[in-house]
Amino acid sequence: MQEQNRQSAVSSGQASNNVEDFAYKESFGNSGLIITQLDNLLNWSRLSSLFPMTFGIACCAIEFMSTGTTPFDMDRFGMAPFASPRQADVMIVAGTVTFKMADRIKRLYEQMADPKYVISMGSCSNCGGPYWQHGYHVVKGVDKIIPVDVYVPGCPPRPEALIGGIMKLHDKIRGESIMTSRNNG
């Protein structure tokens, strides 16, 4: 019965952080034994404890902050924001990126430990938004500076959209392998 429920959840596209979805579990007497691949175990632990860097540039940062509040609760995904790039796994770029800020973003990205991920939140960080056509100072997307893993559209995107982006990042992490290297630019 559990196998049928798991198969239906997987086929319907629902994301799960349950260790049983990544492992084969069989009971031997009074004790349990979990057999899994090292890739699955590392990916499950990595996606269950992402630490985003608290980094907001413009109005999208307000929506990023509201994602951590009670109605949306990023903690249920195991995400606790960190102010230091050395302990952070995820950089969420939320807002308009100017050329003056680009060097600082790249420096913060380089200070993050591997594996590191980037979520571009909002149309300003995705493609420059409405500002790049008439302003000389706006970068036409943060992907011109650092590699981006997930794009979250909207101006500004709702907290539900950011949670959807986090779940897309979970799917990406779930498919990684320690045998293949990740090109981080």
Side-chain angles (χ1 to χ4, degrees):
M1 186 65 181
Q2 284 181 340
E3 182 64 26
Q4 290 174 348
N5 291 339
R6 187 181 74 78
Q7 288 297 330
S8 65
V10 169
S11 64
S12 67
Q14 295 175 350
S16 173
N17 285 344
N18 190 355
V19 73
E20 292 179 359
D21 290 343
F22 294 96
Y24 174 73
K25 184 177 179 183
E26 186 173 328
S27 178
F28 292 103
N30 293 334
S31 65
L33 176 67
I34 296 177
I35 302 171
T36 186
Q37 295 175 342
L38 183 60
D39 276 342
N40 292 342
L41 180 65
L42 291 176
N43 290 341
W44 173 75
S45 63
R46 199 178 307 150
L47 68 87
S48 298
S49 62
L50 290 174
F51 295 118
M53 186 169 52
T54 54
F55 178 72
I57 305 171
C59 50
C60 289
I62 303 298
E63 297 295 328
F64 171 46
M65 287 182 249
S66 66
T67 307
T69 61
T70 304
F72 306 106
D73 194 21
M74 276 190 339
D75 289 342
R76 66 187 158 138
F77 295 106
M79 297 183 76
F82 262 88
S84 170
R86 287 174 172 63
Q87 285 84 26
D89 300 311
V90 181
M91 176 187 279
I92 300 176
V93 181
T96 309
V97 179
T98 61
F99 285 107
K100 195 175 202 180
M101 195 66 186
D103 293 336
R104 290 156 180 88
I105 291 173
K106 187 168 179 75
R107 185 178 309 135
L108 287 171
Y109 178 78
E110 289 169 350
Q111 289 177 356
M112 292 171 62
D114 284 330
K116 50 191 166 188
Y117 306 97
V118 177
I119 296 176
S120 177
M121 180 180 172
S123 63
C124 289
S125 63
N126 290 346
C127 63
Y131 304 108
W132 72 268
Q133 290 177 326
H134 306 291
Y136 63 91
H137 62 290
V138 177
V139 178
K140 296 179 184 177
V142 73
D143 56 351
K144 307 283 188 221
I145 304 162
I146 56 176
V148 176
D149 296 300
V150 177
Y151 294 91
V152 178
C155 183
R158 297 271 309 140
E160 295 92 345
L162 180 57
I163 290 173
I166 291 167
M167 293 177 81
K168 291 282 186 195
L169 184 61
H170 283 186
D171 292 340
K172 183 174 183 164
I173 294 170
R174 195 174 282 118
E176 289 182 352
S177 173
I178 59 171
M179 300 304 279
T180 58
S181 64
R182 217 174 151 251
N183 187 4
N184 284 325

